[in-house]
Short mmCIF file of all heavy atoms in Angstrom, two decimals:
data_model
loop_
_atom_site.label_atom_id
_atom_site.label_comp_id
_atom_site.label_asym_id
_atom_site.label_seq_id
_atom_site.Cartn_x
_atom_site.Cartn_y
_atom_site.Cartn_z
N VAL A 1 12.67 5.92 4.81
CA VAL A 1 13.23 5.87 3.48
C VAL A 1 13.80 7.30 3.18
O VAL A 1 13.32 8.28 3.70
CB VAL A 1 12.21 5.46 2.43
CG1 VAL A 1 11.10 6.43 2.26
CG2 VAL A 1 12.85 5.11 1.12
N VAL A 2 14.81 7.29 2.38
CA VAL A 2 15.42 8.61 1.96
C VAL A 2 14.58 9.19 0.80
O VAL A 2 14.19 8.45 -0.07
CB VAL A 2 16.87 8.36 1.56
CG1 VAL A 2 17.51 9.65 1.04
CG2 VAL A 2 17.70 7.77 2.69
N ALA A 3 14.36 10.53 0.86
CA ALA A 3 13.62 11.23 -0.19
C ALA A 3 14.27 10.89 -1.54
O ALA A 3 15.54 10.87 -1.64
CB ALA A 3 13.60 12.71 0.07
N GLY A 4 13.42 10.63 -2.56
CA GLY A 4 13.95 10.29 -3.85
C GLY A 4 14.08 8.79 -4.09
O GLY A 4 14.21 8.39 -5.22
N GLY A 5 13.91 8.02 -3.02
CA GLY A 5 14.07 6.56 -3.14
C GLY A 5 12.81 5.88 -3.47
O GLY A 5 11.76 6.50 -3.69
N THR A 6 12.84 4.52 -3.44
CA THR A 6 11.71 3.66 -3.67
C THR A 6 11.47 2.88 -2.37
O THR A 6 12.40 2.41 -1.76
CB THR A 6 11.94 2.74 -4.87
OG1 THR A 6 12.14 3.49 -6.04
CG2 THR A 6 10.82 1.83 -5.06
N VAL A 7 10.18 2.70 -2.05
CA VAL A 7 9.84 1.90 -0.89
C VAL A 7 8.82 0.85 -1.29
O VAL A 7 7.98 1.05 -2.18
CB VAL A 7 9.27 2.79 0.23
CG1 VAL A 7 7.99 3.42 -0.08
CG2 VAL A 7 9.15 1.97 1.55
N GLU A 8 8.96 -0.36 -0.69
CA GLU A 8 7.98 -1.45 -0.93
C GLU A 8 7.31 -1.82 0.38
O GLU A 8 7.98 -1.99 1.40
CB GLU A 8 8.73 -2.69 -1.48
CG GLU A 8 9.30 -2.50 -2.85
CD GLU A 8 9.87 -3.81 -3.42
OE1 GLU A 8 9.95 -4.77 -2.65
OE2 GLU A 8 10.30 -3.78 -4.57
N LEU A 9 5.98 -1.89 0.37
CA LEU A 9 5.22 -2.30 1.50
C LEU A 9 4.48 -3.56 1.13
O LEU A 9 3.68 -3.56 0.16
CB LEU A 9 4.24 -1.21 1.89
CG LEU A 9 4.80 0.17 2.21
CD1 LEU A 9 3.70 1.17 2.49
CD2 LEU A 9 5.81 0.05 3.42
N SER A 10 4.69 -4.65 1.87
CA SER A 10 4.10 -5.91 1.53
C SER A 10 2.74 -6.11 2.26
O SER A 10 2.57 -5.64 3.36
CB SER A 10 5.06 -7.07 1.91
OG SER A 10 6.23 -7.02 1.13
N CYS A 11 1.89 -6.89 1.64
CA CYS A 11 0.63 -7.24 2.23
C CYS A 11 0.33 -8.73 1.99
O CYS A 11 0.08 -9.13 0.86
CB CYS A 11 -0.55 -6.41 1.60
SG CYS A 11 -2.11 -6.66 2.44
N GLY A 12 0.57 -9.58 3.06
CA GLY A 12 0.47 -10.99 2.90
C GLY A 12 -0.89 -11.56 3.13
O GLY A 12 -1.09 -12.33 3.96
N ALA A 13 -1.85 -11.12 2.30
CA ALA A 13 -3.23 -11.63 2.45
C ALA A 13 -3.38 -12.89 1.68
O ALA A 13 -2.99 -12.96 0.48
CB ALA A 13 -4.22 -10.60 1.93
N GLN A 14 -3.95 -13.96 2.30
CA GLN A 14 -4.18 -15.19 1.62
C GLN A 14 -5.53 -15.73 1.90
O GLN A 14 -6.12 -15.41 2.93
CB GLN A 14 -3.14 -16.25 2.10
CG GLN A 14 -1.71 -15.84 1.82
CD GLN A 14 -0.74 -16.90 2.33
OE1 GLN A 14 -1.10 -17.74 3.10
NE2 GLN A 14 0.58 -16.80 1.96
N GLY A 15 -6.05 -16.58 1.08
CA GLY A 15 -7.36 -17.20 1.25
C GLY A 15 -7.75 -18.00 0.09
O GLY A 15 -7.09 -17.98 -0.91
N ASP A 16 -8.86 -18.67 0.22
CA ASP A 16 -9.44 -19.51 -0.85
C ASP A 16 -10.91 -19.26 -0.96
O ASP A 16 -11.63 -19.78 -0.09
CB ASP A 16 -9.07 -20.97 -0.68
CG ASP A 16 -9.49 -21.85 -1.87
OD1 ASP A 16 -9.67 -21.21 -2.98
OD2 ASP A 16 -9.56 -23.03 -1.77
N PRO A 17 -11.41 -18.48 -1.85
CA PRO A 17 -10.64 -17.86 -2.95
C PRO A 17 -9.80 -16.70 -2.48
O PRO A 17 -9.97 -16.23 -1.36
CB PRO A 17 -11.76 -17.36 -3.90
CG PRO A 17 -12.93 -17.09 -2.98
CD PRO A 17 -12.78 -18.18 -1.93
N ASP A 18 -8.89 -16.26 -3.32
CA ASP A 18 -7.99 -15.14 -2.94
C ASP A 18 -8.82 -13.90 -2.56
O ASP A 18 -9.74 -13.58 -3.19
CB ASP A 18 -7.06 -14.75 -4.12
CG ASP A 18 -5.99 -15.82 -4.34
OD1 ASP A 18 -5.60 -16.51 -3.42
OD2 ASP A 18 -5.49 -15.88 -5.48
N PRO A 19 -8.44 -13.24 -1.46
CA PRO A 19 -9.14 -12.04 -1.08
C PRO A 19 -8.84 -10.89 -2.02
O PRO A 19 -7.82 -10.92 -2.69
CB PRO A 19 -8.63 -11.73 0.32
CG PRO A 19 -7.27 -12.42 0.34
CD PRO A 19 -7.39 -13.59 -0.52
N ARG A 20 -9.75 -9.97 -2.07
CA ARG A 20 -9.48 -8.68 -2.81
C ARG A 20 -8.74 -7.73 -1.96
O ARG A 20 -9.15 -7.44 -0.87
CB ARG A 20 -10.86 -8.09 -3.22
CG ARG A 20 -10.72 -7.04 -4.31
CD ARG A 20 -12.07 -6.50 -4.67
NE ARG A 20 -12.05 -5.11 -4.20
CZ ARG A 20 -13.14 -4.47 -3.70
NH1 ARG A 20 -14.25 -5.04 -3.66
NH2 ARG A 20 -13.02 -3.28 -3.28
N VAL A 21 -7.58 -7.28 -2.42
CA VAL A 21 -6.74 -6.44 -1.61
C VAL A 21 -6.69 -5.03 -2.22
O VAL A 21 -6.58 -4.86 -3.42
CB VAL A 21 -5.30 -7.03 -1.58
CG1 VAL A 21 -4.34 -6.09 -0.87
CG2 VAL A 21 -5.32 -8.39 -0.92
N GLN A 22 -6.77 -4.06 -1.30
CA GLN A 22 -6.64 -2.64 -1.69
C GLN A 22 -5.76 -1.89 -0.76
O GLN A 22 -5.73 -2.18 0.45
CB GLN A 22 -8.03 -1.94 -1.67
CG GLN A 22 -9.00 -2.43 -2.69
CD GLN A 22 -10.31 -1.65 -2.65
OE1 GLN A 22 -10.93 -1.54 -1.64
NE2 GLN A 22 -10.69 -1.19 -3.82
N TRP A 23 -5.01 -0.96 -1.27
CA TRP A 23 -4.14 -0.08 -0.48
C TRP A 23 -4.67 1.33 -0.48
O TRP A 23 -5.25 1.77 -1.45
CB TRP A 23 -2.76 -0.01 -1.12
CG TRP A 23 -1.87 -1.17 -0.76
CD1 TRP A 23 -1.66 -2.27 -1.55
CD2 TRP A 23 -1.05 -1.31 0.36
NE1 TRP A 23 -0.78 -3.13 -0.94
CE2 TRP A 23 -0.36 -2.60 0.25
CE3 TRP A 23 -0.82 -0.54 1.54
CZ2 TRP A 23 0.50 -3.02 1.27
CZ3 TRP A 23 0.04 -0.98 2.50
CH2 TRP A 23 0.77 -2.23 2.37
N HIS A 24 -4.57 2.05 0.65
CA HIS A 24 -4.86 3.45 0.68
C HIS A 24 -4.04 4.09 1.76
O HIS A 24 -3.40 3.40 2.58
CB HIS A 24 -6.37 3.73 0.91
CG HIS A 24 -6.83 3.46 2.29
ND1 HIS A 24 -7.26 2.22 2.75
CD2 HIS A 24 -6.97 4.31 3.38
CE1 HIS A 24 -7.66 2.32 3.98
NE2 HIS A 24 -7.44 3.55 4.43
N LYS A 25 -3.95 5.41 1.73
CA LYS A 25 -3.15 6.14 2.65
C LYS A 25 -4.14 6.88 3.60
O LYS A 25 -5.10 7.49 3.11
CB LYS A 25 -2.29 7.18 2.00
CG LYS A 25 -1.43 7.97 2.90
CD LYS A 25 -0.58 9.00 2.16
CE LYS A 25 0.24 9.81 3.19
NZ LYS A 25 0.90 10.99 2.51
N GLU A 26 -3.90 6.77 4.94
CA GLU A 26 -4.75 7.52 5.83
C GLU A 26 -4.46 9.01 5.67
O GLU A 26 -3.35 9.39 5.50
CB GLU A 26 -4.42 7.14 7.27
CG GLU A 26 -4.95 5.78 7.70
CD GLU A 26 -4.73 5.51 9.19
OE1 GLU A 26 -3.96 6.26 9.82
OE2 GLU A 26 -5.25 4.46 9.63
N ARG A 27 -5.55 9.77 5.63
CA ARG A 27 -5.49 11.25 5.51
C ARG A 27 -4.70 11.68 4.26
O ARG A 27 -3.84 12.54 4.28
CB ARG A 27 -4.72 11.86 6.74
CG ARG A 27 -5.46 11.60 8.02
CD ARG A 27 -4.83 12.38 9.16
NE ARG A 27 -5.32 11.84 10.44
CZ ARG A 27 -4.64 11.23 11.32
NH1 ARG A 27 -3.31 10.97 11.10
NH2 ARG A 27 -5.15 10.76 12.42
N GLY A 28 -5.01 11.01 3.17
CA GLY A 28 -4.38 11.43 1.91
C GLY A 28 -4.60 10.38 0.84
O GLY A 28 -5.19 9.33 1.10
N ASP A 29 -4.10 10.68 -0.32
CA ASP A 29 -4.16 9.75 -1.47
C ASP A 29 -2.79 9.15 -1.75
O ASP A 29 -1.76 9.67 -1.36
CB ASP A 29 -4.62 10.54 -2.72
CG ASP A 29 -6.00 11.18 -2.57
OD1 ASP A 29 -6.87 10.48 -1.97
OD2 ASP A 29 -6.20 12.28 -3.04
N LEU A 30 -2.86 8.01 -2.45
CA LEU A 30 -1.61 7.39 -2.90
C LEU A 30 -0.96 8.40 -3.88
O LEU A 30 -1.75 9.06 -4.65
CB LEU A 30 -1.86 6.03 -3.52
CG LEU A 30 -2.36 4.96 -2.59
CD1 LEU A 30 -2.73 3.71 -3.36
CD2 LEU A 30 -1.32 4.62 -1.51
N PRO A 31 0.36 8.45 -3.94
CA PRO A 31 0.96 9.47 -4.87
C PRO A 31 0.63 9.16 -6.32
O PRO A 31 0.91 8.17 -6.84
CB PRO A 31 2.43 9.34 -4.61
CG PRO A 31 2.61 8.09 -3.84
CD PRO A 31 1.36 7.74 -3.19
N TRP A 32 0.02 10.17 -6.96
CA TRP A 32 -0.43 10.07 -8.36
C TRP A 32 0.74 9.82 -9.26
O TRP A 32 1.72 10.56 -9.28
CB TRP A 32 -1.21 11.27 -8.74
CG TRP A 32 -1.65 11.27 -10.15
CD1 TRP A 32 -1.12 11.95 -11.20
CD2 TRP A 32 -2.74 10.48 -10.72
NE1 TRP A 32 -1.79 11.70 -12.35
CE2 TRP A 32 -2.76 10.74 -12.09
CE3 TRP A 32 -3.59 9.53 -10.21
CZ2 TRP A 32 -3.69 10.12 -12.91
CZ3 TRP A 32 -4.47 8.91 -11.04
CH2 TRP A 32 -4.53 9.27 -12.39
N GLY A 33 0.70 8.70 -10.05
CA GLY A 33 1.68 8.44 -11.02
C GLY A 33 3.03 7.91 -10.47
O GLY A 33 3.99 7.71 -11.18
N ARG A 34 3.13 7.74 -9.13
CA ARG A 34 4.36 7.29 -8.56
C ARG A 34 4.09 6.03 -7.69
O ARG A 34 4.92 5.83 -6.75
CB ARG A 34 4.96 8.40 -7.70
CG ARG A 34 5.44 9.57 -8.54
CD ARG A 34 6.14 10.61 -7.65
NE ARG A 34 5.34 11.17 -6.61
CZ ARG A 34 5.43 10.93 -5.33
NH1 ARG A 34 6.41 10.19 -4.91
NH2 ARG A 34 4.65 11.52 -4.49
N HIS A 35 3.07 5.29 -7.92
CA HIS A 35 2.90 4.07 -7.18
C HIS A 35 2.34 2.96 -8.04
O HIS A 35 1.77 3.21 -9.14
CB HIS A 35 1.87 4.29 -5.97
CG HIS A 35 0.45 4.32 -6.39
ND1 HIS A 35 -0.18 5.47 -6.87
CD2 HIS A 35 -0.48 3.35 -6.39
CE1 HIS A 35 -1.47 5.14 -7.14
NE2 HIS A 35 -1.66 3.91 -6.85
N GLU A 36 2.56 1.75 -7.57
CA GLU A 36 1.94 0.58 -8.25
C GLU A 36 1.78 -0.56 -7.23
O GLU A 36 2.45 -0.55 -6.16
CB GLU A 36 2.83 0.09 -9.43
CG GLU A 36 4.15 -0.61 -8.95
CD GLU A 36 4.96 -1.10 -10.18
OE1 GLU A 36 4.59 -0.83 -11.33
OE2 GLU A 36 5.90 -1.81 -9.88
N VAL A 37 0.86 -1.49 -7.54
CA VAL A 37 0.58 -2.65 -6.71
C VAL A 37 0.79 -3.82 -7.59
O VAL A 37 0.15 -3.97 -8.65
CB VAL A 37 -0.82 -2.62 -6.06
CG1 VAL A 37 -1.03 -3.88 -5.21
CG2 VAL A 37 -1.00 -1.38 -5.20
N ASP A 38 1.70 -4.78 -7.21
CA ASP A 38 1.93 -5.93 -8.05
C ASP A 38 1.03 -7.08 -7.72
O ASP A 38 0.07 -6.99 -6.87
CB ASP A 38 3.41 -6.35 -8.02
CG ASP A 38 3.84 -6.85 -6.65
OD1 ASP A 38 3.00 -7.26 -5.81
OD2 ASP A 38 5.06 -6.98 -6.39
N GLN A 39 1.22 -8.26 -8.39
CA GLN A 39 0.36 -9.35 -8.25
C GLN A 39 0.43 -9.97 -6.84
O GLN A 39 -0.49 -10.73 -6.44
CB GLN A 39 0.71 -10.42 -9.29
CG GLN A 39 0.32 -10.00 -10.69
CD GLN A 39 0.68 -11.11 -11.72
OE1 GLN A 39 1.49 -11.99 -11.43
NE2 GLN A 39 0.03 -11.00 -12.90
N GLU A 40 1.49 -9.70 -6.14
CA GLU A 40 1.59 -10.22 -4.72
C GLU A 40 1.09 -9.19 -3.72
O GLU A 40 1.35 -9.33 -2.51
CB GLU A 40 3.09 -10.56 -4.41
CG GLU A 40 3.56 -11.82 -5.05
CD GLU A 40 3.92 -11.62 -6.54
OE1 GLU A 40 4.50 -10.58 -6.87
OE2 GLU A 40 3.62 -12.50 -7.36
N ASN A 41 0.44 -8.11 -4.20
CA ASN A 41 -0.21 -7.13 -3.36
C ASN A 41 0.86 -6.22 -2.67
O ASN A 41 0.51 -5.62 -1.64
CB ASN A 41 -1.14 -7.69 -2.32
CG ASN A 41 -2.25 -8.53 -3.01
OD1 ASN A 41 -2.81 -8.06 -4.00
ND2 ASN A 41 -2.46 -9.67 -2.52
N THR A 42 2.06 -6.15 -3.20
CA THR A 42 3.12 -5.29 -2.66
C THR A 42 2.91 -3.86 -3.28
O THR A 42 2.81 -3.72 -4.51
CB THR A 42 4.53 -5.79 -3.02
OG1 THR A 42 4.62 -7.09 -2.40
CG2 THR A 42 5.58 -4.84 -2.53
N LEU A 43 2.86 -2.88 -2.43
CA LEU A 43 2.74 -1.45 -2.83
C LEU A 43 4.12 -0.88 -2.99
O LEU A 43 4.94 -1.01 -2.08
CB LEU A 43 1.95 -0.65 -1.78
CG LEU A 43 1.87 0.86 -2.00
CD1 LEU A 43 1.10 1.20 -3.25
CD2 LEU A 43 1.31 1.52 -0.77
N ARG A 44 4.41 -0.32 -4.16
CA ARG A 44 5.66 0.34 -4.40
C ARG A 44 5.43 1.80 -4.60
O ARG A 44 4.56 2.18 -5.42
CB ARG A 44 6.37 -0.27 -5.63
CG ARG A 44 6.97 -1.54 -5.40
CD ARG A 44 7.84 -2.00 -6.60
NE ARG A 44 8.25 -3.33 -6.42
CZ ARG A 44 7.45 -4.47 -6.67
NH1 ARG A 44 6.25 -4.31 -7.03
NH2 ARG A 44 7.96 -5.63 -6.41
N LEU A 45 6.18 2.58 -3.93
CA LEU A 45 6.13 4.09 -4.10
C LEU A 45 7.48 4.50 -4.59
O LEU A 45 8.54 4.17 -4.05
CB LEU A 45 5.89 4.77 -2.74
CG LEU A 45 4.66 4.34 -1.87
CD1 LEU A 45 4.62 5.03 -0.57
CD2 LEU A 45 3.44 4.60 -2.67
N TYR A 46 7.45 5.23 -5.76
CA TYR A 46 8.69 5.68 -6.39
C TYR A 46 8.94 7.17 -6.11
O TYR A 46 8.00 7.97 -5.98
CB TYR A 46 8.54 5.44 -7.93
CG TYR A 46 8.32 4.03 -8.29
CD1 TYR A 46 7.06 3.55 -8.53
CD2 TYR A 46 9.42 3.13 -8.32
CE1 TYR A 46 6.89 2.23 -8.88
CE2 TYR A 46 9.24 1.89 -8.68
CZ TYR A 46 7.98 1.37 -8.94
OH TYR A 46 7.76 0.07 -9.26
N ASP A 47 10.22 7.56 -6.19
CA ASP A 47 10.59 9.01 -6.03
C ASP A 47 9.91 9.59 -4.86
O ASP A 47 9.25 10.63 -4.96
CB ASP A 47 10.32 9.77 -7.36
CG ASP A 47 11.04 11.10 -7.42
OD1 ASP A 47 12.02 11.27 -6.70
OD2 ASP A 47 10.52 11.95 -8.14
N VAL A 48 10.05 8.97 -3.70
CA VAL A 48 9.37 9.33 -2.46
C VAL A 48 9.72 10.75 -2.06
O VAL A 48 10.88 11.18 -2.12
CB VAL A 48 9.70 8.32 -1.36
CG1 VAL A 48 9.12 8.76 -0.05
CG2 VAL A 48 9.24 6.97 -1.72
N THR A 49 8.71 11.49 -1.63
CA THR A 49 8.88 12.85 -1.11
C THR A 49 8.43 12.89 0.40
O THR A 49 7.73 12.02 0.81
CB THR A 49 8.06 13.87 -1.91
OG1 THR A 49 6.67 13.67 -1.64
CG2 THR A 49 8.30 13.73 -3.41
N PRO A 50 8.79 13.97 1.09
CA PRO A 50 8.29 14.07 2.47
C PRO A 50 6.78 14.04 2.60
O PRO A 50 6.27 13.57 3.59
CB PRO A 50 8.88 15.42 2.95
CG PRO A 50 10.15 15.57 2.17
CD PRO A 50 9.75 14.98 0.77
N ALA A 51 6.10 14.50 1.60
CA ALA A 51 4.64 14.48 1.55
C ALA A 51 4.06 13.04 1.61
O ALA A 51 2.87 12.79 1.97
CB ALA A 51 4.04 15.23 0.39
N ASP A 52 4.84 12.07 1.21
CA ASP A 52 4.48 10.66 1.20
C ASP A 52 4.49 10.03 2.60
O ASP A 52 3.93 8.92 2.79
CB ASP A 52 5.30 9.86 0.22
CG ASP A 52 5.13 10.28 -1.23
OD1 ASP A 52 4.07 10.71 -1.58
OD2 ASP A 52 6.19 10.19 -1.95
N ALA A 53 5.08 10.68 3.56
CA ALA A 53 5.13 10.14 4.88
C ALA A 53 3.75 9.95 5.46
O ALA A 53 2.85 10.81 5.14
CB ALA A 53 5.91 11.06 5.79
N GLY A 54 3.53 8.91 6.26
CA GLY A 54 2.24 8.72 6.87
C GLY A 54 1.93 7.27 7.02
O GLY A 54 2.81 6.39 6.89
N THR A 55 0.69 6.94 7.26
CA THR A 55 0.24 5.55 7.51
C THR A 55 -0.47 4.98 6.31
O THR A 55 -1.41 5.65 5.82
CB THR A 55 -0.66 5.50 8.77
OG1 THR A 55 0.04 5.96 9.84
CG2 THR A 55 -1.12 4.06 9.03
N TYR A 56 0.00 3.85 5.82
CA TYR A 56 -0.64 3.20 4.66
C TYR A 56 -1.34 1.97 5.19
O TYR A 56 -0.89 1.27 6.10
CB TYR A 56 0.49 2.81 3.65
CG TYR A 56 1.03 4.01 2.99
CD1 TYR A 56 1.97 4.78 3.61
CD2 TYR A 56 0.55 4.43 1.74
CE1 TYR A 56 2.50 5.95 3.00
CE2 TYR A 56 1.10 5.57 1.09
CZ TYR A 56 2.03 6.33 1.79
OH TYR A 56 2.53 7.43 1.15
N VAL A 57 -2.52 1.68 4.61
CA VAL A 57 -3.40 0.64 5.06
C VAL A 57 -3.62 -0.36 3.93
O VAL A 57 -4.08 0.04 2.83
CB VAL A 57 -4.74 1.15 5.56
CG1 VAL A 57 -5.61 0.07 6.09
CG2 VAL A 57 -4.51 2.22 6.64
N CYS A 58 -3.47 -1.65 4.22
CA CYS A 58 -3.77 -2.74 3.31
C CYS A 58 -5.02 -3.41 3.83
O CYS A 58 -5.08 -3.85 5.00
CB CYS A 58 -2.61 -3.74 3.30
SG CYS A 58 -3.00 -5.26 2.45
N THR A 59 -6.03 -3.48 3.02
CA THR A 59 -7.36 -4.08 3.41
C THR A 59 -7.59 -5.23 2.47
O THR A 59 -7.56 -5.12 1.28
CB THR A 59 -8.53 -3.04 3.29
OG1 THR A 59 -8.21 -1.92 4.07
CG2 THR A 59 -9.78 -3.69 3.76
N ALA A 60 -7.87 -6.41 3.12
CA ALA A 60 -8.20 -7.63 2.36
C ALA A 60 -9.63 -8.03 2.67
O ALA A 60 -10.04 -8.10 3.81
CB ALA A 60 -7.24 -8.75 2.80
N GLN A 61 -10.44 -8.25 1.60
CA GLN A 61 -11.85 -8.60 1.73
C GLN A 61 -12.11 -9.92 1.01
O GLN A 61 -11.61 -10.26 -0.05
CB GLN A 61 -12.74 -7.60 1.09
CG GLN A 61 -12.76 -6.26 1.87
CD GLN A 61 -13.72 -5.26 1.18
OE1 GLN A 61 -13.66 -5.08 -0.08
NE2 GLN A 61 -14.55 -4.62 1.95
N SER A 62 -12.88 -10.75 1.70
CA SER A 62 -13.34 -12.03 1.09
C SER A 62 -14.73 -12.34 1.59
O SER A 62 -15.28 -11.56 2.38
CB SER A 62 -12.41 -13.17 1.49
OG SER A 62 -12.60 -13.56 2.80
N GLN A 63 -15.28 -13.48 1.20
CA GLN A 63 -16.56 -13.88 1.63
C GLN A 63 -16.66 -14.02 3.16
O GLN A 63 -17.73 -13.94 3.75
CB GLN A 63 -16.97 -15.20 0.93
CG GLN A 63 -17.04 -15.07 -0.57
CD GLN A 63 -17.13 -16.43 -1.22
OE1 GLN A 63 -16.85 -17.48 -0.68
NE2 GLN A 63 -17.47 -16.39 -2.53
N LEU A 64 -15.49 -14.30 3.77
CA LEU A 64 -15.46 -14.54 5.23
C LEU A 64 -15.31 -13.34 6.04
O LEU A 64 -15.54 -13.32 7.23
CB LEU A 64 -14.36 -15.51 5.54
CG LEU A 64 -14.44 -16.85 4.94
CD1 LEU A 64 -13.24 -17.71 5.27
CD2 LEU A 64 -15.72 -17.58 5.35
N GLY A 65 -15.02 -12.20 5.40
CA GLY A 65 -14.83 -10.90 6.17
C GLY A 65 -13.74 -10.05 5.60
O GLY A 65 -13.28 -10.26 4.51
N THR A 66 -13.39 -9.09 6.48
CA THR A 66 -12.37 -8.09 6.14
C THR A 66 -11.31 -8.07 7.16
O THR A 66 -11.55 -8.16 8.33
CB THR A 66 -13.07 -6.73 5.99
OG1 THR A 66 -14.09 -6.81 5.00
CG2 THR A 66 -12.05 -5.68 5.61
N ALA A 67 -10.05 -7.89 6.72
CA ALA A 67 -8.89 -7.73 7.62
C ALA A 67 -8.07 -6.55 7.12
O ALA A 67 -8.00 -6.33 5.87
CB ALA A 67 -8.08 -9.02 7.73
N ALA A 68 -7.46 -5.86 8.00
CA ALA A 68 -6.61 -4.70 7.62
C ALA A 68 -5.27 -4.73 8.37
O ALA A 68 -5.23 -5.19 9.49
CB ALA A 68 -7.36 -3.42 7.79
N ALA A 69 -4.22 -4.17 7.78
CA ALA A 69 -2.92 -4.06 8.39
C ALA A 69 -2.38 -2.71 8.00
O ALA A 69 -2.67 -2.14 6.92
CB ALA A 69 -1.97 -5.15 8.00
N THR A 70 -1.56 -2.07 8.86
CA THR A 70 -1.04 -0.77 8.59
C THR A 70 0.46 -0.79 8.61
O THR A 70 1.09 -1.65 9.21
CB THR A 70 -1.52 0.28 9.68
OG1 THR A 70 -1.06 -0.13 10.97
CG2 THR A 70 -3.02 0.43 9.66
N ALA A 71 1.04 0.18 7.87
CA ALA A 71 2.47 0.41 7.84
C ALA A 71 2.74 1.92 7.92
O ALA A 71 2.03 2.66 7.24
CB ALA A 71 3.11 -0.17 6.63
N ARG A 72 3.67 2.34 8.78
CA ARG A 72 3.97 3.75 8.91
C ARG A 72 5.28 4.08 8.12
O ARG A 72 6.28 3.37 8.31
CB ARG A 72 4.12 4.16 10.39
CG ARG A 72 4.39 5.64 10.53
CD ARG A 72 4.30 6.09 11.94
NE ARG A 72 2.85 5.99 12.31
CZ ARG A 72 2.45 5.76 13.53
NH1 ARG A 72 3.29 5.51 14.51
NH2 ARG A 72 1.15 5.70 13.77
N LEU A 73 5.18 5.07 7.27
CA LEU A 73 6.36 5.43 6.42
C LEU A 73 6.94 6.78 6.93
O LEU A 73 6.13 7.75 7.12
CB LEU A 73 5.93 5.55 4.97
CG LEU A 73 6.95 6.01 4.03
CD1 LEU A 73 8.09 5.05 3.93
CD2 LEU A 73 6.34 6.30 2.63
N ARG A 74 8.20 6.83 7.16
CA ARG A 74 8.91 8.01 7.49
C ARG A 74 9.85 8.42 6.39
O ARG A 74 10.56 7.52 5.91
CB ARG A 74 9.68 7.89 8.76
CG ARG A 74 8.79 7.68 10.00
CD ARG A 74 9.66 7.63 11.24
NE ARG A 74 8.83 7.35 12.39
CZ ARG A 74 9.27 7.25 13.63
NH1 ARG A 74 10.58 7.38 13.86
NH2 ARG A 74 8.47 7.00 14.62
N VAL A 75 9.83 9.62 5.97
CA VAL A 75 10.74 10.09 4.93
C VAL A 75 11.71 11.11 5.47
O VAL A 75 11.29 12.03 6.20
CB VAL A 75 9.94 10.68 3.73
CG1 VAL A 75 10.92 11.16 2.66
CG2 VAL A 75 8.94 9.71 3.26
#
């Protein structure tokens, strides 16, 4: 993504009941005041900076267990 832009990372976790989904960044925090997660578990990062580059992890937890997926962001 180009610096200053917006990026969306999707997390397609499904189950019955719906799993609990959380996003985090490996080796860092999600950008304070510049991110949101919508009802479909999509992570949006706004006004992206080079410091936002890295690996983001979506973790889904339910009664049956835990699953995780990663996405690598380059700025």
